[in-house]
């Protein structure tokens, strides 16, 4: 139930605010989950995990401050124009070619031994998942209106739903394969960074949300994203690292 509610919240967020803000902030589930687990499930949260939670929250605040202040695409007509843009179509062709190479040639041979193979497949599919989710929200606004564009909006929504469903199914398959072969903490940290980077690239090409972002805001968002990424790595990768602040006060006993 909570996962379903979370996905509904993500869907509503993508229709309301820029993708460049929603996607990185999805990482806040990691520090909040770690904090709740430490109190409710009595899981140990070391000093590096606490530092990671602090960095994730601080980076998220920076992202919110410097995020784009207006939407690049707000109507179905604008969405259709962006989807047929030659630059975005070319980008999708490159992504499809890379996915075919990874799924049919590289993954069978190197997937179980190289973590970046499965991460690359799932992250590249994010180029379809997040823009499709945002597009469905925009098209759905015109479906129930009694005007000539409502029929086109329905067709567009169905196509985007099919793309979204296929990409999610394939992502689940390769995420499960990755978790069978690699440590979930390492996979989760690397996957967040690569997935978010590629989703932001796809959204920037499609929705052009960066067009009105100044140099200061761009650098601020880059710093915020880097800070969040470092926080996620500290929480996920070093959660089994047995170190506490009290260890610094222990005397160093040397034996001759």
């Amino acid at each position: 139930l909570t996962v379903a509610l979370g996905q509904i919240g993500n869907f509503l967020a993508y229709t309301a605010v820029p993708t460049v803000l929603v996607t990185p902030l999805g990482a806040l589930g990691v520090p909040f989950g770690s904090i709740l687990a430490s109190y409710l499930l009595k899981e140990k949260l070391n000093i590096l995990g606490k530092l990671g939670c602090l960095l994730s929250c601080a980076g998220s605040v920076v992202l919110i401050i410097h995020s784009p202040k207006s939407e690049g695409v707000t109507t179905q007509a604008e969405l259709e124009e962006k989807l047929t843009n030659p630059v975005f179509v070319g980008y999708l062709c490159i992504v499809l070619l890379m996915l075919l190479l990874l799924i049919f040639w590289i993954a069978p041979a190197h997937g179980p031994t190289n973590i970046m193979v499965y991460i690359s497949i799932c992250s590249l599919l994010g180029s379809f998942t997040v823009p499709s989710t945002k597009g469905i929200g925009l098209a759905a606004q015109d479906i129930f209106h009694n005007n000539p564009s409502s029929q086109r909006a329905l067709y567009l929504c169905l196509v985007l739903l099919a793309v979204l469903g296929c990409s999610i199914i394939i992502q689940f398959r390769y995420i499960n394969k990755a978790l069978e072969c690699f440590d979930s903490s390492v996979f989760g940290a690397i996957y967040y960074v690569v997935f978010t980077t590629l989703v932001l690239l796809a959204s920037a090409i499609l929705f052009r949300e960066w067009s009105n972002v100044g140099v200061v805001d761009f650098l601020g968002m880059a710093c915020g994203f880097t800070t969040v990424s470092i926080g996620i790595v500290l929480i996920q990768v070093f959660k089994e690292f047995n170190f506490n602040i009290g260890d610094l006060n222990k005397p160093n006993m040397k034996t001759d």
Side-chain angles (χ1 to χ4, degrees):
L1 178 60
T2 55
V3 172
L5 290 175
Q7 294 304 316
I8 293 174
N10 281 335
F11 177 82
L12 294 175
Y14 281 123
T15 62
V17 296
T19 308
V20 69
L21 178 60
V22 178
T23 306
L25 290 184
L28 284 177
V30 176
F32 287 151
S34 300
I35 294 172
L36 289 175
S38 66
Y39 285 102
L40 300 180
L41 304 178
K42 306 303 180 183
E43 293 185 2
K44 187 177 181 180
L45 185 64
N46 59 25
I47 185 64
L48 293 179
K50 295 176 182 177
L51 178 61
C53 293
L54 179 62
L55 288 175
S56 298
C57 294
S60 299
V61 172
V62 175
L63 282 172
I64 293 173
I65 293 174
H66 295 282
S67 65
K69 303 302 186 292
S70 61
E71 276 287 356
V73 179
T74 56
T75 64
Q76 175 203 337
E78 292 177 345
L79 176 62
E80 293 178 357
E81 180 183 354
K82 300 295 184 183
L83 289 174
T84 56
N85 185 282
V87 177
F88 181 69
V89 174
Y91 171 77
L92 287 185
C93 291
I94 295 174
V95 170
L96 284 173
L97 179 60
M98 294 177 66
L99 283 172
L100 291 175
L101 291 173
L102 286 167
I103 292 174
F104 293 105
W105 280 277
I106 300 178
H110 304 286
T113 58
N114 191 330
I115 191 173
M116 290 305 300
V117 175
Y118 292 145
I119 287 178
S120 298
I121 293 174
C122 297
S123 300
L124 286 171
L125 286 168
S127 300
F128 300 95
T129 304
V130 175
S132 294
T133 303
K134 190 175 181 69
I136 290 170
L138 291 174
Q141 298 175 4
D142 294 335
I143 290 178
F144 301 103
H145 293 287
N146 293 324
N147 53 53
S149 64
S150 61
Q151 193 72 13
R152 294 183 61 182
L154 178 61
Y155 293 145
L156 178 62
C157 187
L158 292 176
V159 171
L160 293 177
L161 278 174
V163 173
L164 179 63
C166 292
S167 62
I168 289 176
I169 291 173
I170 299 175
Q171 283 184 69
F172 280 156
R173 178 186 177 186
Y174 284 96
I175 287 175
N176 289 331
K177 283 179 174 288
L179 295 178
E180 291 175 358
C181 303
F182 306 101
D183 182 80
S184 61
S185 300
V186 177
F187 173 80
I190 300 176
Y191 177 53
Y192 165 75
V193 177
V194 180
F195 177 86
T196 303
T197 302
L198 290 179
V199 166
L200 292 181
L201 175 61
S203 300
I205 295 174
L206 176 60
F207 299 111
R208 300 180 183 179
E209 294 171 335
W210 293 89
S211 58
N212 296 323
V213 176
V215 177
V216 175
D217 288 331
F218 175 81
L219 293 176
M221 292 202 67
C223 292
F225 174 57
T226 303
T227 304
V228 173
S229 300
I230 294 173
I232 296 300
V233 171
L234 290 176
I235 296 171
Q236 294 284 73
V237 178
F238 297 98
K239 67 179 181 180
E240 301 295 336
F241 188 69
N242 189 16
F243 174 76
N244 291 297
I245 194 66
D247 295 336
L248 298 176
N249 298 324
K250 293 181 179 179
N252 186 16
M253 302 298 294
K254 295 183 178 179
T255 56
D256 297 330

